[in-house]
Amino acid sequence: MSNTSKGGGNPWAWLGLLKWSLSYSDGTRKNDDITPMSKEDREFLEKVMAEGIIDENERMKFILQESTKAMEYYRLRAMGTNPDSDPPISDDDLEDLLQELRDIVEQIDYARAFCSLQGLPFLIGCMDEAKNIPENIRNQCGGILSTLAQNNPDVQKQLLEMGAIKSLSGKNSEQTDYTIAHSASQLTSACVVGCK
């Protein structure tokens, strides 16, 4: 996956910004001779900031959209309908996007924002679909659910009200490979620890 497909342009843009900033002020001299930025410097700074800063909310929406396309592909394939010969995204790329989503929702504010995007039912549905969604994708969805619920009473409450634990707890006994059972157990633990 290219760097630009991750939504932020050059991931090393911050380094260029730091070098540029230090060339103008390194903190060791007086600031008496400060002059306004030239038009070229301002344009450079605006470009670096636009390319180097990722809007996490937009990124979550993008990941959900890509995941939805993949799930639609799996659904059509399960129904025997011949979807496009190639999936919209490879399983490896989808797994990478889901890992990125997990990293984003580790921050409690983004976890709440993800819930407002109706991401919880989507993830539970993915985990619940044992026959048609690859196990590595289902496992990533379980990991995201655990991350969302961990130390987050609002998400814990939503998951409990949705019946997520009941829905997924039966998965423990159905699994031949225990990675999904482990994800379901992690989710159960994350939902009950600290829940009031």
Side-chain angles (χ1 to χ4, degrees), residues 29-98:
R29 60 184 176 172
K30 292 184 179 183
N31 294 333
D32 298 345
D33 60 346
I34 294 177
T35 58
M37 271 196 243
S38 68
K39 182 179 178 184
E40 295 83 26
D41 287 344
R42 188 176 309 115
E43 288 172 357
F44 169 78
L45 181 59
E46 288 172 357
K47 180 181 176 195
V48 169
M49 296 302 290
E51 291 178 358
I53 295 177
I54 298 171
D55 181 342
E56 302 289 3
N57 287 316
E58 289 300 316
R59 193 66 187 148
M60 284 191 297
K61 287 179 190 175
F62 172 79
I63 293 170
L64 278 174
Q65 289 169 346
E66 291 300 305
S67 299
T68 301
K69 290 175 192 173
M71 296 310 139
E72 182 65 16
Y73 173 81
Y74 298 138
R75 185 184 71 79
L76 291 173
R77 187 175 66 187
M79 293 173 46
T81 307
N82 290 328
D84 297 330
S85 59
D86 294 326
I89 185 172
S90 74
D91 289 348
D92 289 340
D93 285 346
L94 179 57
E95 189 174 7
D96 289 345
L97 284 176
L98 292 172

Side-chain angles (χ1 to χ4, degrees), residues 1-195:
M1 191 179 321
S2 72
N3 289 333
T4 53
S5 69
K6 289 210 174 198
N10 182 352
W12 292 98
W14 61 268
L15 184 58
L17 178 60
L18 176 63
K19 288 179 181 179
W20 178 82
S21 297
L22 290 175
S23 71
Y24 286 93
S25 175
D26 62 3
T28 60
R29 60 184 176 172
K30 292 184 179 183
N31 294 333
D32 298 345
D33 60 346
I34 294 177
T35 58
M37 271 196 243
S38 68
K39 182 179 178 184
E40 295 83 26
D41 287 344
R42 188 176 309 115
E43 288 172 357
F44 169 78
L45 181 59
E46 288 172 357
K47 180 181 176 195
V48 169
M49 296 302 290
E51 291 178 358
I53 295 177
I54 298 171
D55 181 342
E56 302 289 3
N57 287 316
E58 289 300 316
R59 193 66 187 148
M60 284 191 297
K61 287 179 190 175
F62 172 79
I63 293 170
L64 278 174
Q65 289 169 346
E66 291 300 305
S67 299
T68 301
K69 290 175 192 173
M71 296 310 139
E72 182 65 16
Y73 173 81
Y74 298 138
R75 185 184 71 79
L76 291 173
R77 187 175 66 187
M79 293 173 46
T81 307
N82 290 328
D84 297 330
S85 59
D86 294 326
I89 185 172
S90 74
D91 289 348
D92 289 340
D93 285 346
L94 179 57
E95 189 174 7
D96 289 345
L97 284 176
L98 292 172
Q99 180 58 51
E100 181 183 350
L101 178 60
R102 187 175 186 172
D103 293 342
I104 292 170
V105 299
E106 283 180 343
Q107 298 179 42
I108 198 163
D109 292 334
Y110 290 126
R112 290 183 181 134
F114 180 80
C115 292
S116 71
L117 293 172
Q118 298 302 310
L120 292 178
F122 175 78
L123 293 173
I124 292 169
C126 290
M127 268 194 85
D128 216 15
E129 185 54 54
K131 294 178 184 164
N132 301 308
I133 297 176
E135 192 166 304
N136 62 327
I137 302 303
R138 293 173 53 232
N139 193 40
Q140 282 289 340
C141 291
I144 295 167
L145 284 166
S146 297
T147 300
L148 285 161
Q150 186 175 6
N151 302 318
N152 193 334
D154 295 337
V155 176
Q156 290 170 342
K157 182 180 178 190
Q158 287 182 50
L159 286 168
L160 291 172
E161 288 173 352
M162 294 171 72
I165 292 176
K166 183 178 180 184
S167 169
L168 298 173
S169 63
K171 304 299 174 214
N172 290 341
S173 59
E174 297 172 12
Q175 296 303 315
T176 53
D177 183 344
Y178 294 99
T179 56
I180 301 300
H182 178 72
S183 287
S185 295
Q186 275 185 317
L187 175 58
T188 302
S189 174
C191 279
V192 298
V193 172
C195 186

